[in-house]
């Protein structure tokens, strides 16, 4: 019998400030769009990451809210808190958002920051941040833990987004927790399911109608042949 034994992996030692400085210099040397990383006096550093939004479900946002102005951004006004009315809509597939973050910014904070920028009021637990990698012509996705630091991953991979990119997707945890969705979301799901059901029924009808026509044509040809 094969016995599975759990072996705890040794966590690598955190890089020193000097090692981080060298990695940042190497990273910045490859940057072509002025989005450089900057080392702070306390050993932390700041930089930019781009996140692709690949959400296939509708999100919940405040209804009738005007776009955020520069004044709102400077004063950190949360427009989502200005109304209790909610509506649902689909974010554009493959929309890209650029974030300026710190080396201490976690995946959880990145998700919350993205939702705030798009005024999405859904529970952040509905979403997950993935790293997308390309290897041997294949696209691989790996879900990142909430405590991971995306900027450190960006630093290690370099600025080339073909090597590593970040993607916000639905948090697929197996069984759907329907209680976590709002009423507008659930209504949208019902509309989508109803449309998909009608499309499937039409496909089945067309399939068997073509099959029936071919059988009738074959039977007609067989009857018309002598003997």
């Amino acid at each position: 019998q094969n016995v599975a034994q759990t072996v705890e992996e040794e966590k690598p030692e955190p890089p020193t400030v000097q090692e981080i400085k060298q990695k940042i210099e190497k990273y910045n040397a490859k940057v072509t769009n002025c989005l450089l990383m900057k080392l702070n006096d306390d050993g932390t550093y700041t930089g930019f990451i781009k996140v692709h939004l690949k959400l296939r479900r509708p999100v919940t946002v405040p209804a009738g809210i005007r776009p955020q102005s520069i004044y709102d951004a400077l004063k950190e006004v949360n427009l989502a808190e200005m109304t209790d009315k909610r509506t649902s809509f689909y974010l554009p597939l493959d929309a890209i958002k650029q974030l300026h973050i710190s080396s201490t910014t976690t995946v959880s904070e990145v998700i919350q920051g993205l939702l705030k920028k798009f005024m999405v009021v859904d529970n952040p637990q509905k979403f997950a941040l993935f790293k997308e990698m390309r290897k041997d012509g294949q696209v691989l996705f790996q879900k990142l833990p909430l405590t991971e630091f995306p900027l450190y991953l960006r630093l290690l991979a370099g600025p080339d987004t073909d090597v590593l990119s970040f993607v916000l997707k639905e948090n697929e945890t197996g069984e759907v927790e329907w209680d976590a969705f709002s009423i507008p979301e659930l209504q949208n799901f019902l509309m989508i399911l109803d449309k998909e059901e009608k499309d499937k029924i039409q496909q089945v009808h067309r399939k068997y109608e073509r099959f029936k026509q071919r059988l009738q044509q074959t039977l007609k040809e067989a009857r018309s042949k002598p003997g």
Side-chain angles (χ1 to χ4, degrees):
Q1 293 181 350
N2 295 326
V3 179
Q5 183 178 4
T6 302
V7 179
E8 292 186 2
E9 296 182 0
E10 293 185 3
K11 294 184 179 180
E13 292 292 329
T16 64
V17 176
Q18 184 61 31
E19 289 173 337
I20 288 294
K21 182 179 179 181
Q22 293 175 355
K23 291 181 183 296
I24 290 177
E25 291 174 351
K26 184 178 179 180
Y27 179 96
N28 288 342
K30 299 178 181 179
V31 172
T32 58
N33 53 10
C34 299
L35 301 179
L36 303 174
M37 288 199 187
K38 180 182 178 182
L39 181 64
N40 301 319
D41 294 335
D42 60 359
T44 62
Y45 50 97
T46 57
F48 296 86
I49 63 169
K50 289 183 179 180
V51 181
H52 296 250
L53 278 69
K54 296 185 178 181
L55 302 176
R56 299 191 177 276
R57 297 173 186 159
V59 295
T60 306
V61 297
I65 289 294
R66 57 180 170 79
Q68 189 180 43
S69 65
I70 296 178
Y71 173 83
D72 296 329
L74 292 176
K75 296 296 183 179
E76 296 185 352
V77 175
N78 189 350
L79 297 177
E81 296 179 352
M82 297 176 63
T83 178
D84 293 330
K85 296 181 179 179
R86 298 288 183 261
T87 187
S88 293
F89 79 106
Y90 287 91
L91 286 173
L93 195 62
D94 284 339
I96 300 176
K97 190 66 179 179
Q98 187 167 273
L99 299 176
H100 184 254
I101 63 175
S102 166
S103 57
T104 60
T105 304
T106 63
V107 165
S108 176
E109 292 169 331
V110 166
I111 294 174
Q112 294 178 42
L114 284 169
L115 298 182
K116 184 176 180 181
K117 285 183 178 295
F118 285 95
M119 292 189 291
V120 176
V121 295
D122 291 304
N123 190 329
Q125 294 181 357
K126 295 181 185 178
F127 307 93
L129 191 67
F130 291 76
K131 64 178 181 180
E132 178 182 331
M133 301 161 289
R134 290 172 174 81
K135 185 177 181 181
D136 299 329
Q138 293 183 327
V139 179
L140 306 176
F141 289 91
Q142 181 180 347
K143 182 180 174 180
L144 296 174
L146 294 177
T147 55
E148 182 66 86
F149 302 107
L151 192 61
Y152 182 61
L153 299 178
R154 180 80 278 161
L155 177 63
L156 294 180
D160 189 355
T161 54
D162 287 336
V163 177
L164 170 72
S165 58
F166 297 103
V167 179
L168 183 71
K169 301 173 70 175
E170 282 84 6
N171 187 12
E172 302 293 354
T173 56
E175 199 167 320
V176 179
E177 297 180 3
W178 296 109
D179 292 340
F181 293 93
S182 64
I183 292 179
E185 286 179 312
L186 295 173
Q187 291 173 336
N188 272 340
F189 292 156
L190 288 174
M191 292 174 59
I192 293 170
L193 289 173
D194 184 58
K195 183 178 183 302
E196 289 181 351
E197 181 184 20
K198 291 179 180 178
D199 290 341
K200 290 294 184 182
I201 292 174
Q202 291 178 359
Q203 290 176 15
V204 172
H205 281 170
R206 288 193 294 267
K207 174 184 175 181
Y208 284 95
E209 184 63 29
R210 289 193 298 267
F211 186 51
K212 179 181 178 181
Q213 290 175 358
R214 286 198 296 267
L215 285 176
Q216 290 175 338
Q217 181 65 28
T218 302
L219 183 60
K220 180 179 180 181
E221 293 174 355
R223 287 174 174 173
S224 63
K225 292 181 180 179

